Amino acid sequence: VMVINPRAAKNFARAAMERNKTDKADALILALFAETMNYPLWKRPSDSALSVRYYARTINTLVIDKARAKNHFHALQACI
């Protein structure tokens, strides 16, 4: 499986002077793109990298929730 930037595929088709926009033409251009471009194989991140990403995202969510709660509290105090 390869995930490519849609703009890269579009520019590749434009460089190949392919103007047809059919499923068959798109499939041929994408196959040619995959054959022509060398991309490194995707490797699953290590378990430690995944846990660091999880904790970083959790901390970020908590910081956003804290700011939201402080703003809500401030708005409630202004109404009283």
Side-chain angles (χ1 to χ4, degrees):
V1 174
M2 178 190 286
V3 178
I4 61 172
N5 186 335
R7 185 174 297 225
K10 181 178 181 179
N11 289 339
F12 184 82
R14 187 179 302 158
M17 304 206 43
E18 181 63 44
R19 296 184 185 262
N20 294 335
K21 190 68 178 132
T22 63
D23 288 344
K24 188 174 182 179
D26 286 346
L28 289 173
I29 285 293
L30 289 175
L32 184 61
F33 182 86
E35 288 177 2
T36 307
M37 300 299 171
N38 267 342
Y39 284 99
L41 293 176
W42 180 81
K43 293 181 183 176
R44 182 183 181 275
S46 66
D47 289 338
S48 60
L50 290 174
S51 66
V52 166
R53 183 189 305 169
Y54 168 76
Y55 289 120
R57 289 178 177 173
T58 301
I59 289 169
N60 187 41
T61 301
L62 291 173
V63 167
I64 291 171
D65 288 346
K66 178 184 173 186
R68 184 179 296 129
K70 285 174 81 174
N71 290 338
H72 187 86
F73 181 71
H74 178 73
L76 287 175
Q77 283 184 328
C79 292
I80 296 176

